Amino acid sequence: MGDNNAPHILRTAARRQRAFAEFEEGNATRSDIQDALGVSRSTAFRVVNTFESLGLISRQNGTYELTPFGDVVHSETSRAIGTIRIARSLSPLLDALEETEEPIEIRAFDDATVTELEPGDPYKPMRRFLSLTEETSCIREFTPTTPDPAYQNTLYDRVRDDLWVAVLYPPSVVDQLRQEGDSEFERAREEGEFHVRVSDPPAFRLVVTDERVYVGGYNDDASFLQLVVDTANPDVQEWATRCFESQWKRGTPFDSYVEGLR
């Protein structure tokens, strides 16, 4: 079998994942494949013959099972399909994630909850963000744009109930908050654990809570959230912590930034 068969093997494996599942269990018959795929007897016959000719299965006492080669093809194809599925769901975030110096394996988001913008419901991703403040005792966050007022007010209220917050805003957001004379913002800083630094963060929103990480992807001009991805995966939690801390270290403390404007 030459290397030029590899594309044909890959196409076959991607198309016939359900057949692989039957062969993986061993002792599969043509009838089993016919039932699993919901195809005609002749189609099941062709599938079995194709798998056998490609070296993916072997026949033992009238039944079929994966060969070691077939097991590798099945495993790698399943992995590739899974990675593509995850990448497709996270596509609005991929460019922004590449801006960070902290690499993240995209498959770490395999079990993530993805909340997307829907026609007629532009605030669905934001509501997902709002839900994160209900139980956590700590929030570490950076955002490239002006926070939603409902989310911001929720943070101010929770700070009074002992929520600890460290947030990194870009200069444009801090300047806007100062120009608007946001008294709640100032009160949160003065009376609670609401710590602010100023810098230009990556073009996605990151919120790290006690148990979950929330990543928000924006449209091209960062005027609204397109999706929110959240997960409790430990690898994502570790990545998000490193990512936040590296950005936080670069930030200018709020008071020092304001003093520098005078």
Side-chain angles (χ1 to χ4, degrees):
M1 189 186 310
D3 290 342
N4 60 345
N5 272 333
H8 179 41
I9 292 170
L10 183 59
R11 287 193 296 271
T12 301
R15 184 184 178 192
R16 297 300 186 186
Q17 284 291 292
R18 283 188 295 172
F20 268 109
E22 291 296 316
F23 291 129
E24 189 174 33
E25 295 179 4
N27 300 319
T29 65
R30 286 193 174 94
S31 293
D32 292 332
I33 300 305
Q34 181 180 349
D35 292 341
L37 300 183
V39 297
S40 66
R41 183 177 179 182
S42 60
T43 298
F45 183 86
R46 287 197 299 272
V47 170
V48 171
N49 281 357
T50 297
F51 270 56
E52 193 169 19
S53 68
L54 294 174
L56 302 174
I57 59 173
S58 61
R59 185 175 180 179
Q60 303 289 338
N61 300 321
T63 62
Y64 299 88
E65 62 183 23
L66 287 180
T67 63
F69 173 65
D71 190 55
V72 171
V73 170
H74 177 39
S75 175
E76 292 302 311
T77 305
S78 297
R79 178 179 174 82
I81 289 173
T83 300
I84 292 169
R85 174 183 57 79
I86 297 167
R88 180 67 185 89
S89 67
L90 302 183
S91 57
L93 277 169
L94 296 182
D95 283 345
L97 290 177
E98 290 183 356
E99 292 183 24
T100 72
E101 299 173 359
E102 302 294 334
I104 178 66
E105 170 58 55
I106 194 171
R107 288 193 64 86
F109 290 95
D110 182 41
D111 64 346
T113 298
V114 179
T115 306
E116 297 183 86
L117 184 73
E118 293 183 359
D121 189 3
Y123 297 107
K124 188 174 182 181
M126 180 52 62
R127 287 201 302 275
R128 186 68 181 176
F129 261 126
L130 284 169
S131 69
L132 65 89
T133 64
E134 294 177 358
E135 296 181 0
T136 187
S137 65
C138 171
I139 285 180
R140 290 168 290 173
E141 173 183 4
F142 61 67
T143 177
T145 189
T146 304
D148 180 83
Y151 172 79
Q152 199 73 353
N153 289 332
T154 300
L155 283 190
Y156 298 157
D157 291 341
R158 282 294 320 278
V159 165
R160 297 191 185 97
D161 295 329
D162 297 328
L163 176 68
W164 188 94
V165 175
V167 60
L168 187 75
Y169 292 136
S172 59
V173 170
V174 172
D175 294 345
Q176 179 179 338
L177 291 170
R178 294 181 64 242
Q179 289 169 6
E180 293 175 351
D182 190 335
S183 60
E184 291 298 314
F185 171 72
E186 291 298 336
R187 186 175 296 113
R189 291 184 56 251
E190 293 172 0
E191 300 178 2
E193 296 289 346
F194 195 85
H195 308 278
V196 179
R197 289 193 178 185
V198 186
S199 183
D200 286 308
F204 63 93
R205 189 167 185 173
L206 179 71
V207 178
V208 186
T209 69
D210 293 345
E211 297 181 354
R212 297 189 75 81
V213 171
Y214 294 70
V215 185
Y218 290 88
N219 63 329
D220 290 341
D221 62 0
S223 59
F224 61 84
L225 279 170
Q226 286 186 293
L227 85 166
V228 170
V229 179
D230 63 274
T231 178
N233 182 286
D235 291 338
V236 178
Q237 191 86 19
E238 181 180 339
W239 163 78
T241 299
R242 293 197 315 268
C243 192
F244 172 82
E245 288 178 350
S246 66
Q247 296 295 324
W248 184 255
K249 289 177 182 177
R250 298 174 184 173
T252 303
F254 180 86
D255 290 336
S256 298
Y257 174 78
V258 172
E259 184 65 27
L261 296 176
R262 295 171 180 170

